[in-house]
Amino acid sequence: MQKIKKVLIANRGEIALRILRTLKAAGIPGVVMYHRVDRGAPAVREAEETYLIEGETPVAAYLDIENILAACRTTGANAVHPGYGFLAENAPFAKALAEADVIFIGPTADVIELMGDKVSARKFVEARGFPVAPSAIEEDDPATFVERVAKVGFPVLIKPAAGGGGKGMRVVYDGANLAEEVERGRREGERYFADGRLFAERFIENPRHIEVQVFGDQHGNYVHFWERECSIQRRFQKIIEETPSPALSPEQRQEICTAAVGIAEAVGYQGAGTVEFIYAPTGEFYFLEMNTRLQVEHPVTEMVTGYDLVYEQLRVAAGEALNYTQADITQTGHSIECRICAEDADADFAPAIGKLLKVREPVGPGIRVDSGVIEGQDVTTAFDPMLSKLIVYARDRQQCITRTQQALRDYVLLGVTTNTAYLDKILSHSDFISGDVHTGFLAEQADVLKQNLSQDTLDFLLSAAALTDEQLCNAVAEIPELYAAMGHWRN
Amino acid sequence: MQRIRSAIRTQSESYLANKAHNEKVFTAFRERQERARYVRPERELARLARQGKMTGRQRVEMLLDPGTPFLEFSSLAACEDYDGEIPGANVISGIGIVSGREVVIHADDNSMKGGAWYPRSTQKIIRALDIAIENRLPVIHICDSAGGYLEDMAGVFVKGGRVFRNQCILSKMNIPQVAIVCGNCTAGGAYIPGLCDYAIIVRGMGAVFLGGPPLVKAATGEEVTVEALGGADMHTSISGTVDYPVDSEEQGIAMAREIVGQFRQPTKAYHPQATEAPYYDPEELFGILPSDIKVQFDMREVIARIVDGSRFHEYQPAYGKTLVCGYAHIWGYKVGILGNNGVLFNDSSLKAAHFISLCNQNGTPLVFLQNTTGYMIGREYEEKGITKDGAKMLMAQAGSEVPKFTVLTNSSFGAGYYGMCGRAWDPRFLWCWPNAEMGVMGAEQAARTLGDVKLAQLKRANPDVSEEEVAVLRQRVKEKAERETSAYFATSRMWDDGILMPTDTRNALAIALSVAANAPLANPSYGVFRM
Amino acid sequence: MKREFVIGSESYDVLLNKALGEYHLDVGDRQLAIQAEEIGSGEYFIYVDGRKQRAFVAVDDENTYIHMEGKAVTIQRIDPFEKIMGGDGADGSGSSLLAPMPGTVISVNCEPGQQVSEGDVLMVIESMKLETTVAAPREGIVEQVNFSAGDTFDQKALLVSLQAEEE
Amino acid sequence: MRRIVSNISTQSHEFKENQADMARVLNEFRQLQQKARYTRPERDMQRLNKQKKLFVRDRLELLLDPGTPFLEFSSLAAHYAYEGTVPGAAVVTGIGLVSGREVMVIAGDASVKGGAWYPLTVKKMVRALDIAIENRLPVIHICDSAGGFLPLQSGVFPDRFAAGRIFRNQVQLSKMNIPQIAIVCGHCTAGGAYVPALSDYNIIVRGTGAIFLGGPPLVKAATGEVVTVEALGGCDMHTTTSGTADYPADNEPQAFAIARDIAAQFRKPKKQVIETAPVEAPYYDPEELYGIIPMDRKTQYDVREVIARIVDGSRFHEYQPAYGKTLVCGYAHIWGYKVGILGNNGVLFNDSAKKAAHFIQLCNQNKTPLVFLQNITGYMVGRTYEEEGITKDGAKMLMAQGGSVVPKFTVIIGGSFGAGNYGMCGRAWDARVLFMWPKAEIGVMGAEQAANTLVDIKTRQMQKEGITLSEKDIEAIRTPIMESYERDLSAYYSTSELWDDGILDPADTRNALGMSIACSLNAQIDDQSYGVFRF
């Protein structure tokens, strides 16, 4: 990897740390850039070299291409790892780096451009014979878009042409307020992605979301690292991912993975990418989109295959060839990832803020925590509410579930409301255990998944709260023993 | 010290009218006092003669050093209780001189109902003992009582214990007591000699026992004579409960005088200077006090007729003029005087608080001459904080370490009575003049307010009330209000230490000042003044 | 001593006392014998009527965060007496804003009929070479403004009045 | 310390009979107390409601530390007075905890005649303040009174222990550096205005509280000025203009919260150190007292059985167990506090009186508070005892008891007759508190004896006038006298007149004493000193 001398990590949180760790292990110097609000974050603390960036908002700072170019110039980094989110799938960014002679650790700009645009990606894939759901693309004829959407058939899913991560997506069940929803979707697209173009496709009831990790090098080699099941979503965002998918038979698995590699090959994909599919209860699957970057949930793949995907990205970016074949990549055991988010699951996933007063990560066989926070850190609404990821590996799914549950229970995060208990609740659900889930599962089971406290637990909680309330205990200590012993006595 | 210049013209019409009115008031008082002291039913006196006993009053006279004063307390106690049948509440008490020592004397008045103790009797004894405690005066008890008045035992018993409790406290304070047992001391009464340092018993007349012969018989069946059970010889030779046997009351009194002669003379906290008679004749007070309680008079005129040489150093003469404050001497004793000259305003209250603090600072006893209808009311004064200014006066007054003496010269109404050291505020002595009135409000106002309330009640019950009925009701309420605000009503209940002739005030205060000096003065200290 | 503990939308009134060395917690009409043993920083054994639980506890000004039985619960703590206290009443919910001393009006920042919130600056005055803001003591509607900028006023002059509160 | 071995059989017929009788008596007591505390005419409660005022009992609960005791005094004061129309004498007094501090609470009860001060109201308030002075207890006044009850003004106003004494006592407390808080929830008019003014801290409730020497009607009558309550003496006037009141409060709950905050600023008292031991509940159930106290007051019973149900672990170190056996003396602990107990087991003889004098001196020397359990018909009469000097031996006991510097506590558990009442620290002897059990009686002599004596006198008078009375005539004279005496002897009459600090359920005695002892230790105990003992 002589070509890569120093890598700038153009991201934050857990992924910045995760990339840094691989760099360190590979002996490649890494630079962590950060905004002031992240100055206490673990990646910043662990980095040997850091670079302070500024922006109108913290998010804007991380999205500012100039910042990154300047950072490379200043630090002498000749490669940039974008992580996921922010500028990871931004073609102009990849272009700008190329112009500055900095290696972008990811696919080429034109591939990003092609696949990053849902509409063009879809057309491209469809044209090459891969399965795609009925759809309407605004760009084709913006004037008739609403009518064409209606023709796709309800329910229909409207989403921004650019974008991902579920932002700005909406399901419309009938034509009554379709125009209005379209307009709203456009506004959100503009707001999130500075791109108001929309795209609509048939909404498949109770679908699963299954994706395949693919990899390509600069030498025409393409492999997949098997699938990931990502059906557990709240507000269109994944919170539990696992592999292998409990839904697929070996044949189906083979079919879907082969299709994914085919698409990667078709676009000449370089580096790590993910091809996402909608998997209907009937067994059909449709191409959904391709994410031209590392995924949040990539660790489950690492767990069952044994590969360090970031390391592989570096190698590909450095121009090295994949030194393994598809046959070398085997799926062993089972892995589940839980996204630990600062949010109140019982209050419609309202983002939670506060100071992390106590953090204690779970440990044990098969447990991996990719965390972006440490004790004492303030959690704000400046960024995504995800604090860390808990990734668990076990020989089989059943053991993996119970191991994950135990790890969630052992995961102490105090000061900010998190979803650990909610995740635990999901893992306890009989439908989850039997693997019988779909992307609407959480919404459908919301009531079942609400927390409830037994009388016994409540007693302990109130007792703990009372006994650790210093002011209360001081006030109690003010009461002379005699009177306390008599209690509410009246003569 | 400057002499007060009296503005009184003794030939003026108002002076003469006042004098005529007051002479009637004062004569009535004197007559009432004489009756209480000396007039007794024939059979009571005959009984005493039969028993060979002196009256209580005769005993007191014999006990005192000849030619010396006796400051009697509450001579008209109980005068409006028990249908007026228990003169002086069957107890004679006061301060006198015995063998050159100031002492408190408590003598049972055996000339009515055998000297039985009524609730007011024990109250009067307790007050005398309180005076002894406060002023560290030795006490001589002349015991001759039939015991607690059974029909009102509830009123006597529980509170009566204070007599004996006070005796223990006196003993603990190293203040000696002598008992002369001239009659039976039964039940609780037995503890009077029992708790005295010195007890004398008259042979054949005195007896001390917890239960007399009838009670013993009822309780155990034992039959025993008075003498054997608790007579002079038994107690002085066998039980040791009594110390000195004597053959007669006269001998007993002589023995008591000899005992008192052994007492250590007290160390006085302050001493008098050379004295001077008032320049203005105290008798002129008769013409100064108005015939109508609502008419204002200048308290300086009263001061001029009480203090030495009528000399008065007035403090802050131009400020808070409704309260006269200043220094003077009474029989040579320096005093700070506070006298009302109208309603108490914010400034008068502040002046009082200041002057009282001064007197505490320089160890000057305080004399309060009350003629007050209270503190000023109304928006302006409330806004200025009349309540907290009044509170300052109360805080200084009640926090005083110097002895305080109060004389109710005319009206004493509302909170003014409190501020000017009313009964609850522990003046060493408090006297009323015969014309004085006291109460929450004046009789007239009280009658009006209460009359309105009663009338409203009456009208609710019977809407057709006749004019006559209304008049009768009003009259009844008025009479009751007048009676209850009078000095006699007060003195009967011992809200004071007796009614005093205005002309006697100077002497009474001097004796009080002298005995008060027996207790040491503490350094000034106060609570928190609400500024 | 009492606390109101709020968990989610539920509120629990508890009373803690310590008698003869033992803590007791009254919850409703039940009384629990309770005890806490700190076994590490922020880590406790909690005993309730002899039963034991391990708990991690963190506390900030308003809330107590407890991790117990595998889940974290946020408990809001309310001192009922402090709750009653609310504002100290010192500025009062009075309606009349009187001049604290004589002075000059610098600016008038409200007009009659205007809705104001507690703390809104109604007027700026100057006296003794100091500028002072006259703030609304409570929420309400301005009734009267008695001075304009440049006017002088005496001590206790009524500067601004608010409409009386509805009963 | 050894445990008392009880000889009571809770299964015995006698026990059960006594228990049933006590159940009846206690039931009556509790009903009376409940009524005095809570039963009010509908219109009075409506009036309070309309004025947005809280009921006095609710005010107390807002003020006191939650889950702590309140030792109420004289809940049945004025029970027999004013035709029973002034329950509790229209004021609630007692010791409770506020912000962990022991305080005396004096709360006007505006639900009774607008909280007007009757003579017994004043007596109860003065008594509460005396307790505060003796025990150095901060005082919290809750003021809500219509003022002195005018028709009885002579009983309220002038005497030494009348209303003036309230203010005089307030000044003494201030002088002694004992803080006071007044919470002005209603009007404080005339003298009443001084209650807040003489308090170190006062709080006034906006809209309902007012302080003035003369209210609007009086002002109008006196000067013609027409002025509103608020302008004359309302919250804002006094807290901003006159400075007579310190803290404005928007409502009563807030006022009480402020008071609690103020109390939290009080310096904690330095307690007199006495011997203590770890607290232990009585080994014998205090409720067994119900079956121990005989139905007939005249039946003798062993006071040790009472002690065993009051003291820690029922443990008692008996002093001189073989001498003067009609008086039981010894050490025990109550709520951990070491006390010396004197309990009657019969008439006081010479030896019992001397034993008492000796034991009291011991307790004074080692600073051990004294508890007197009165069940006494008096000192022994008769020639033998007089010759032995029963009076001077009794006087020794009085001298030791009256001269005591340690705090004294008296509970009248049975009869309290004659000089026995005095010797065993009756009301006049400055017990810090004095309680009665519901069946207790107090008087010079028993009702029967008194009635007989009076009937004797009457009969002799009639005989002198030549009239002979038949048995029936005598009964007709005797019966009403008996009835009136019995009433006057009863605990209810005593408590009505405030001769005690309240009637206690016997099972409450331990707590009442525990609190009283704890409070008494706020005052330091002097070195011992006595008067002269007559030997």
Side-chain angles (χ1 to χ4, degrees), chain A residues 340-389:
Chain A
I340 312 295
C341 298
E343 63 188 19
D344 187 349
D346 287 338
D348 203 20
F349 308 102
I353 55 164
K355 190 193 242 335
L356 280 168
L357 300 169
K358 179 139 203 93
V359 175
R360 201 177 144 119
E361 292 173 356
V363 289
I367 292 171
R368 165 176 165 185
V369 177
D370 282 11
S371 174
V373 292
I374 52 169
E375 196 166 296
Q377 198 172 322
D378 279 318
V379 174
T380 65
T381 50
F383 303 106
D384 186 88
M386 192 177 85
L387 303 177
S388 75
K389 303 182 302 201

Side-chain angles (χ1 to χ4, degrees), chain D residues 7-23:
Chain D
N7 292 316
I8 297 295
S9 158
T10 55
Q11 296 312 310
S12 72
H13 174 69
E14 193 193 352
F15 186 92
K16 298 222 153 121
E17 232 177 26
N18 291 341
Q19 209 174 27
D21 187 57
M22 184 56 94

Side-chain angles (χ1 to χ4, degrees), chain A residues 243-396:
Chain A
T243 183
S245 164
L248 299 180
S249 65
E251 295 74 30
Q252 287 169 317
R253 178 170 297 113
Q254 203 56 58
E255 195 183 346
I256 204 166
C257 290
T258 307
V261 178
I263 292 168
E265 191 168 359
V267 292
Y269 196 85
Q270 290 175 17
T274 299
V275 183
E276 298 192 337
F277 297 96
I278 291 289
Y279 186 84
T282 48
E284 300 106 38
F285 59 91
Y286 303 111
F287 170 77
L288 185 59
E289 63 179 14
M290 180 167 188
N291 292 326
T292 58
R293 54 167 161 87
L294 196 65
Q295 292 280 83
V296 174
E297 57 272 25
H298 76 274
V300 290
T301 300
E302 295 183 328
M303 300 298 265
V304 297
T305 61
Y307 287 84
D308 177 343
L309 296 184
V310 172
Y311 184 73
E312 295 309 318
Q313 281 185 297
L314 291 170
R315 284 188 52 231
V316 168
E320 293 179 23
L322 298 179
N323 54 1
Y324 39 82
T325 64
Q326 186 65 53
D328 294 328
I329 306 167
T330 53
Q331 240 182 347
T332 312
H334 198 94
S335 181
I336 296 176
E337 177 188 272
C338 292
R339 299 193 191 187
I340 312 295
C341 298
E343 63 188 19
D344 187 349
D346 287 338
D348 203 20
F349 308 102
I353 55 164
K355 190 193 242 335
L356 280 168
L357 300 169
K358 179 139 203 93
V359 175
R360 201 177 144 119
E361 292 173 356
V363 289
I367 292 171
R368 165 176 165 185
V369 177
D370 282 11
S371 174
V373 292
I374 52 169
E375 196 166 296
Q377 198 172 322
D378 279 318
V379 174
T380 65
T381 50
F383 303 106
D384 186 88
M386 192 177 85
L387 303 177
S388 75
K389 303 182 302 201
L390 169 67
I391 307 105
V392 176
Y393 174 81
R395 272 197 61 237
D396 59 44

